[in-house]
Amino acid sequence: MTPILLVEDDRMLGDAVAAALRQDGWEVARAEDAGAAKTALIDHAFAAVLLDLGLPRGSGLDVLNALRQRYDTTPVLIVTARDQLSDRVRGLDAGADDYIVKPFQTDELCARLRAVVRRSQGRVAPVLSYRDVVLDPAARLVTRGGQAVKLGVHEYRTLMALMERQGRVVARDALESLVYGGDGTIESNTIAVYIHQLRRKLGEDFITTVHGFGYRVGEVE
Ligand code: CA
């Protein structure tokens, strides 16, 4: 079954919520900071995200914005403190499906979560396409000429970063932080390796190199 992603840095609260969700029949994956949440959301499909707004390494709003910017429509239930009315409004503006205010009853949380998951069913994320290559973010699937193309996690992220910015040059360092979620310790040249592998799988001229700067998929806008 598709799990719920629980994004909560307060470990005791997270444990309590995770237990309640499991009791309610969900599988639960956890992230305790914004970076880990962003990475998890790129790498895996979730039935819904339960998103605390106050997080280390960025905010819940950053996570939500990153998700919606790539047309990922995974339902998001945001969790806010009682006095964060403006955050709640910003969260809904940024594409959250609902919110719940701390402290909350876990029964109410589970009911709200079931409601957002139910409402989201049948909603389809737009796919990204260029030439005969189609990337479906909801299914984490890439096809070329209708045939599935097998990509590693970093190849997939590199391709998605370029396809969602189609027609624009993405600087190499920006691409690195998109692919690695801003985590340091990047070996130089690894992006070049992923680009090489993507070209091998998708066609040599699928990705254009802009020398001394970065890469582009698609025609210049
Ligand atoms: Ca928090």
Side-chain angles (χ1 to χ4, degrees):
M1 102 186 272
T2 316
I4 300 288
L5 179 64
L6 169 60
V7 186
E8 173 57 70
D9 59 310
D10 179 328
R11 196 157 297 172
M12 272 180 60
L13 178 60
D15 286 349
V17 170
L21 294 176
R22 290 193 181 101
Q23 189 78 35
D24 208 41
W26 296 105
E27 271 179 33
V28 181
R30 308 258 306 249
E32 296 190 343
D33 65 57
K38 284 183 192 174
T39 305
L41 283 162
I42 290 172
D43 291 344
H44 306 285
F46 295 99
V49 186
L50 193 60
L51 182 63
D52 182 30
L53 287 185
L55 293 170
R57 297 181 62 217
S59 77
L61 282 175
D62 294 338
V63 175
L64 179 58
N65 282 323
L67 189 70
R68 296 303 186 230
Q69 270 166 21
R70 56 171 194 271
Y71 311 108
D72 187 325
T73 59
T74 303
V76 174
L77 179 62
I78 55 178
V79 178
T80 66
R82 188 164 293 285
D83 54 357
Q84 291 173 322
L85 177 63
S86 61
D87 280 353
R88 218 175 303 162
V89 172
R90 273 206 295 274
L92 292 172
D93 281 348
D97 296 82
D98 198 1
Y99 65 88
I100 190 163
V101 177
K102 284 181 189 176
F104 48 79
Q105 300 292 321
T106 51
D107 284 355
E108 185 190 354
L109 176 77
C110 290
R112 296 277 198 96
L113 196 60
R114 284 194 300 268
V116 297
V117 170
R118 209 163 43 233
R119 283 203 301 271
S120 77
Q121 283 163 357
R123 203 165 64 184
V124 180
V127 298
L128 304 171
S129 65
Y130 176 61
R131 294 186 186 164
D132 61 347
V133 175
V134 176
L135 186 155
D136 181 346
R140 268 65 173 171
L141 180 70
V142 175
T143 58
R144 179 186 184 191
Q147 299 293 310
V149 178
K150 200 165 160 39
L151 297 181
V153 168
H154 292 106
E155 292 167 23
Y156 176 82
R157 290 189 198 167
T158 303
L159 181 66
M160 185 153 77
L162 291 169
M163 286 189 77
E164 66 189 1
R165 291 165 185 77
Q166 208 170 118
R168 284 145 57 194
V169 182
V170 183
R172 189 173 293 121
D173 54 351
L175 197 52
E176 283 175 353
S177 71
L178 288 163
V179 170
Y180 292 96
D183 287 344
T185 64
I186 297 161
E187 286 179 40
S188 60
N189 292 327
T190 54
I191 290 292
V193 171
Y194 302 139
I195 296 284
H196 174 78
Q197 288 164 340
L198 286 169
R199 281 178 173 147
R200 197 169 52 75
K201 295 174 181 179
L202 304 176
E204 279 304 315
D205 60 351
F206 189 79
I207 297 169
T208 305
T209 300
V210 180
H211 286 288
F213 192 66
Y215 302 96
R216 186 187 72 233
V217 162
E219 312 309 325
V220 179
E221 280 176 358

